[in-house]
Amino acid sequence: EEVEEQHPLRQLLRIVNDTMSYRQLREHDQAALDLTGNNYWLIFPDRSGLPAQIWPLLPQWVRVIPDRERMIGGYAVRPGEGAEVFRFPPISRAEGGPGVLHFKRANPLDPYYGQGCLEAAWGAVSIDEKATEYRHSFYKNSARPDGILTWDAATMPATTAVREVAEWWKEAFQGPANAHRVPILPGWKFTPISFTPKDSEIFQDRKLSREDILVALGVSLAVLGIETGDVGRRDEQIKHYYRSTVLPEVESGADTMTELLAPLFGEDIEVRPDVSRVHAFQEDRLMRAQVDEVYLRQGKVTINELRGRDGEGPVEWGNLPLLPFSIAPLGSSPLGGFGAPFGASWPPPARRLWPGFDRR
């Protein structure tokens, strides 16, 4: 059964604090989970002891305090370098005071901290970072291969003059603004170095690294609009992204809130995501409604069973099976309910229904 609009938990998740909305909070949460595998809420209660405000904590601020008996004794929070360290209990043991709610991804290497998506793809991230630096240097140096400036013995400048020439060359001909300028050299010769295959491989490496990173994050190129291709195929990829990446993430966060936060507001309270307005699921709901209609007509399910599946309360007439008027069990009458209404098996003789009718 859905709680009322004014329920304290619903209000908490609608207005999480004085400066953030729930959507902004969840955007912060997702970034923290993707990068580090950990996300922390610092929750403050009101005068009655119920949670009233949620403030996100940067993962690098928080350190888990192990405990021999309870596994997690609390959380040490240092909001910045050189700041004072604050200690908070888990929200389930806050006892009317502020507490921390810890969301974390699975980590086979550490029971206290989660593992982020990018940790699994850190090798690809490092390669992409170095390739980006190389590409930046490529464009910074006129977006063309380097070359050698030579001169003969008669025009050989002094050592100090060489430095001056180098500075002059850099100011006059290097950088994107000076690309393709024609140098006029008095007795000097510029010999360019050709573009090597290795330089081409750098850009291919970036593409491969990008795909590895996106796989770790559970995002396809079609979802980002990088590679569109067939429209139908792109729509299917977007649906798959919602089913395999977005929905499990949302359900995982809702389960954590159900187990650790919801019990503070009462018993049997469940946090369930509402995906009814997600466009990618509209077609799925239409197909499910069509299947439900078939099962209702076949008498395989009842209205109350379907309402319970969707989290809705039962109705008084919802336990009766719905059957088409033209279909009835053997020995029953569609005109008057079950049982033979004419004292005989169904179908009755025709003359009993229509006096004067003679089969002969």
Side-chain angles (χ1 to χ4, degrees):
E1 183 178 355
E2 186 173 352
V3 299
E4 63 274 8
E5 288 290 333
Q6 300 303 319
H7 192 277
L9 179 56
R10 185 185 286 270
Q11 292 296 317
L12 174 66
L13 297 180
R14 180 178 292 114
I15 305 175
V16 297
N17 57 52
D18 296 336
T19 60
M20 299 178 68
S21 65
Y22 179 71
R23 179 173 182 175
Q24 292 173 322
L25 175 67
R26 291 305 295 171
E27 289 175 350
H28 170 275
D29 297 345
Q30 195 60 48
L33 286 171
D34 287 339
L35 292 173
T36 69
N38 298 278
N39 178 57
Y40 305 91
W41 285 359
L42 180 57
I43 302 177
F44 290 92
D46 56 15
R47 294 181 179 179
S48 64
L50 289 177
Q53 288 192 7
I54 300 174
W55 292 91
L57 299 173
L58 298 183
Q60 62 267 27
W61 289 356
V62 185
R63 180 175 59 86
V64 177
I65 303 174
D67 185 86
R68 291 185 178 180
E69 297 181 357
R70 298 179 174 179
M71 184 175 175
I72 297 178
Y75 299 88
V77 180
R78 184 193 296 271
E81 188 67 27
E84 180 182 357
V85 177
F86 300 90
R87 296 178 181 270
F88 299 98
I91 187 62
S92 58
R93 302 198 301 268
E95 297 180 356
V100 171
L101 179 58
H102 184 187
F103 300 86
K104 63 179 180 179
R105 288 221 175 105
N107 185 356
L109 304 177
D110 196 321
Y112 298 103
Y113 298 94
Q115 185 180 58
C117 298
L118 291 186
E119 291 187 61
W122 192 247
V125 173
S126 300
I127 293 175
D128 187 72
E129 183 181 11
K130 297 300 181 183
T132 302
E133 293 178 1
Y134 179 90
R135 191 179 183 187
H136 175 74
S137 300
F138 176 80
Y139 284 108
K140 185 178 180 181
N141 295 320
S142 303
R144 62 184 179 189
D146 295 334
I148 302 175
L149 191 63
T150 61
W151 44 75
D152 54 28
T155 58
M156 182 68 181
T159 302
T160 56
V162 172
R163 297 175 182 173
E164 294 178 359
V165 170
E167 292 295 329
W168 168 76
W169 181 270
K170 181 178 180 180
E171 180 180 355
F173 302 106
Q174 287 189 356
N178 298 322
H180 305 294
R181 289 186 63 184
V182 179
I184 301 176
L185 307 176
W188 306 335
K189 181 180 179 181
F190 177 74
T191 304
I193 300 175
S194 61
F195 194 82
T196 64
K198 180 180 179 181
D199 297 318
S200 301
E201 292 176 0
I202 293 294
F203 301 102
Q204 182 65 22
D205 288 342
R206 286 209 67 204
K207 182 178 180 181
L208 295 176
S209 298
R210 178 188 64 187
E211 294 178 357
D212 291 342
I213 295 170
L214 292 178
V215 167
L217 293 173
V219 183
S220 66
L221 297 176
V223 172
L224 297 178
I226 298 176
E227 295 182 3
T228 55
D230 182 72
V231 176
R233 179 173 177 270
R234 181 173 182 269
D235 290 342
E236 287 301 320
Q237 289 183 340
I238 292 176
K239 292 178 183 178
H240 179 267
Y241 166 69
Y242 271 95
R243 295 191 193 101
S244 62
T245 302
V246 176
L247 192 56
E249 288 281 355
V250 174
E251 290 178 342
S252 176
D255 290 342
T256 300
M257 287 186 278
T258 298
E259 296 175 8
L260 302 177
L261 181 62
L264 302 179
F265 293 88
E267 299 180 355
D268 300 328
I269 296 180
E270 179 182 358
V271 179
R272 180 179 298 175
D274 180 12
V275 296
S276 59
R277 291 181 292 179
V278 178
H279 179 72
F281 294 148
Q282 295 293 336
E283 184 176 346
D284 294 342
R285 284 194 292 272
L286 177 60
M287 294 179 60
R288 189 175 69 174
Q290 293 173 345
V291 173
D292 290 346
E293 182 181 0
V294 173
Y295 282 174
L296 280 172
R297 280 189 287 175
Q298 294 178 349
K300 293 184 176 181
V301 295
T302 64
I303 291 293
N304 280 345
E305 289 175 342
L306 296 180
R307 291 176 65 87
R309 181 200 64 188
D310 297 335
E312 301 175 353
V315 293
E316 183 178 356
W317 46 270
N319 290 326
L320 298 176
L322 300 181
L323 296 176
F325 180 80
S326 58
I327 300 178
L330 185 64
S332 65
S333 168
L335 299 178
F338 293 99
F342 302 100
S345 62
W346 184 265
R351 61 169 55 91
R352 294 184 181 179
L353 288 179
W354 299 279
F357 178 82
D358 192 347
R359 289 186 178 183
R360 293 173 297 177

